[in-house]
Amino acid sequence: MSNAPLPDIRIPDDLKPGDGRFGSGPSKVRPAQVDAVSAAATTLLGTSHRQAPVKKLVGRLRSGLSTLFGLPDGYEVALGNGGTTAFWDAATFCLIDRKSQHLSFGEFSSKFAAAAAAAPHLDEPEVIESAPGTHPSAVAREGVDVYALTHNETSTGVAMEVRRPEGADGLVAVDATSGAGGLRVDPTQFDAYYFAPQKSFASDGGLWLALLSPAGAERIERLAASDRWIPAFLDLGIALDNSRKDQTYNTPALATIVLMVEQLEWMLGNGGLEWAASRCDRSAEALYGWAEASEYATPFVAKPDERSHVVGTIDLADGIDALTVSAVLRANGIVDTDSYRKLGRNQLRIAMFPAIEPDDVAALTRCIDHIVGEIHR
Ligand SMILES: Cc1ncc(COP(=O)(O)O)c(C=O)c1O
């Protein structure tokens, strides 16, 4: 954005979305979720996480996730503190036996690869990269015991299908931080599908959740029992043990869990993952359909089937400054549409998680047209 003063553009109220939060994380929280926190004000909040009421809540979280994802018999839900970033470090101790293969196609997928590369007890990982705006494919390799995929690369707006690499016998671990709950997934295709609550589950950050296949849990238990040194906070064996008792190893943020359970049960009450994913499909249709028809906006991701339905990235033509457009939107109460900073593109990034109304995404596109029309009058 230049140093020129921000154009004073007022977006007419009848063009504006009902809710102006389009951030890719933390994402919009629905007011009903905050009501649930209020309702817990004198009951759950401020009470022990080792006692029945909070353990029941954690139980609702674990069984709700199991239902939402249609987990097959033997799969289980684990959780712990620290968010996805902590889970990556935990995975270098407790999921990767010797060698991992990483698909690296943006900021987040590259971070797990870097964590594995830095772990002195592991072999050098294999990293398969592709340019931002695309994704590479995993390739079965002798000696690879974890294939690290990313369901949705939040920094670029690329989504990939979760599928076991043909002929591979290693575990499949999927970073689903921004994909889980908004994109469809077949649980038989993964051994660990891990995420955090601040995206589709419209809660706060700070927790990690992992859906584990029997093989995933078995790997954790074997490595946890081995003579490998594992910091207790990153010990997935300890986390799994606690999760099975509907608790966490150390104290969790209870309000975060209340917010998440409310969102999860909202999804389940409306029809589950298929319903949530269909909402995201409708938002994506509105966003990409608009960009494709626009003279100045273009979907960044060239292949339609790789365009994420939860985080959309839209390039703007030269001469239309995306930072100015985002700043004018913000001045009008429509926030967090900026691109991922390290990508360095003239781009808007717009979240379309289930909490976000598809009609609000359509309204946002009309607001962008209004701003661009005013600037270039
Ligand atoms: C795909 C992906 N992975 C990992 C992370 C990091 O998650 P956390 O902030 O919970 O550590 C993010 C956060 O935006 C993400 O989008």
Side-chain angles (χ1 to χ4, degrees):
M1 194 163 60
S2 70
N3 288 332
L6 193 64
D8 180 19
I9 298 170
R10 310 243 163 102
I11 301 175
D13 283 345
D14 61 352
L15 282 189
K16 286 186 187 171
D19 193 300
R21 292 172 292 172
F22 293 98
S24 298
S27 94
K28 174 184 167 188
V29 177
R30 290 178 312 108
Q33 296 173 264
V34 181
D35 292 346
V37 174
S38 268
T42 56
T43 52
L44 286 168
L45 300 187
T47 71
S48 168
H49 61 113
R50 305 279 179 225
Q51 295 298 327
V54 174
K55 286 172 66 153
K56 247 172 87 185
L57 182 73
V58 173
R60 269 162 67 192
L61 178 62
R62 294 179 66 237
S63 68
L65 286 172
S66 189
T67 306
L68 187 77
F69 289 97
L71 296 185
D73 278 355
Y75 277 55
E76 51 193 322
V77 178
L79 72 161
N81 283 314
T84 297
T85 304
F87 189 85
W88 285 328
D89 285 335
T92 66
F93 284 104
C94 300
L95 265 186
I96 305 172
D97 192 347
R98 291 239 59 87
K99 187 178 174 70
S100 48
Q101 178 186 97
H102 298 257
L103 301 189
S104 173
F105 53 108
E107 181 65 14
F108 296 105
S109 43
S110 70
K111 275 192 173 158
F112 185 23
H121 55 280
L122 299 178
D123 293 351
E124 191 61 29
E126 180 184 12
V127 181
I128 305 178
E129 289 186 62
S130 73
T134 67
H135 71 75
S137 298
V139 183
R141 290 256 202 256
E142 185 111 10
V144 166
D145 55 76
V146 165
Y147 293 86
L149 318 184
T150 300
H151 202 176
N152 187 73
E153 181 41 87
T154 323
S155 63
T156 61
V158 171
M160 64 176 290
E161 190 187 345
V162 172
R163 196 154 16 95
R164 293 185 187 277
E166 196 135 326
D169 56 10
L171 300 181
V172 171
V174 185
D175 177 353
T177 305
S178 54
L183 303 180
R184 295 166 182 85
V185 69
D186 171 1
T188 65
Q189 298 297 315
F190 62 70
D191 298 295
Y193 186 79
Y194 58 91
F195 48 94
Q198 71 273 20
K199 314 278 187 187
S200 287
F201 295 102
S203 180
D204 269 331
L207 205 65
W208 60 257
L209 298 118
L211 316 180
L212 300 170
S213 74
E218 188 274 331
R219 173 75 60 86
I220 287 169
E221 286 172 327
R222 179 165 64 75
L223 290 178
S226 71
D227 58 7
R228 177 179 282 178
W229 173 73
I230 301 172
F233 183 67
L234 300 175
D235 188 331
L236 293 177
I238 294 178
L240 189 52
D241 222 33
N242 277 279
S243 303
R244 286 171 176 155
K245 298 175 193 145
D246 290 332
Q247 56 187 20
T248 48
Y249 173 52
N250 63 321
T251 317
L254 296 185
T256 301
I257 299 176
V258 174
L259 287 169
M260 180 165 179
V261 168
E262 176 65 27
Q263 178 72 352
L264 179 58
E265 293 182 353
W266 175 72
M267 290 177 179
L268 290 170
N270 279 293
L273 188 58
E274 183 53 39
W275 174 81
S278 302
R279 255 170 95 80
C280 301
D281 294 345
R282 292 214 317 277
S283 293
E285 209 177 295
L287 183 72
Y288 298 125
W290 159 76
E292 285 194 315
S294 165
E295 284 175 4
Y296 67 87
T298 318
F300 168 50
V301 178
K303 288 190 185 160
D305 65 346
E306 294 182 356
R307 286 178 194 154
S308 167
H309 288 197
V310 281
V311 174
T313 43
I314 304 293
D315 280 347
L316 300 188
D318 289 350
I320 298 174
D321 182 36
L323 288 174
T324 302
V325 173
S326 297
V328 173
L329 285 167
R330 177 171 288 279
N332 281 273
I334 300 166
V335 302
D336 297 341
T337 57
D338 319 68
S339 72
Y340 192 77
R341 63 201 181 295
K342 283 199 197 152
L343 198 57
R345 295 186 72 87
N346 188 36
Q347 182 173 96
L348 300 173
R349 184 174 63 141
I350 291 149
M352 302 176 285
F353 297 121
I356 292 165
E357 295 295 332
D359 285 349
D360 280 354
V361 174
L364 169 64
T365 65
R366 291 192 286 273
C367 293
I368 298 168
D369 281 342
H370 177 81
I371 294 168
V372 172
E374 289 289 304
I375 292 176
H376 293 273
R377 218 150 34 134

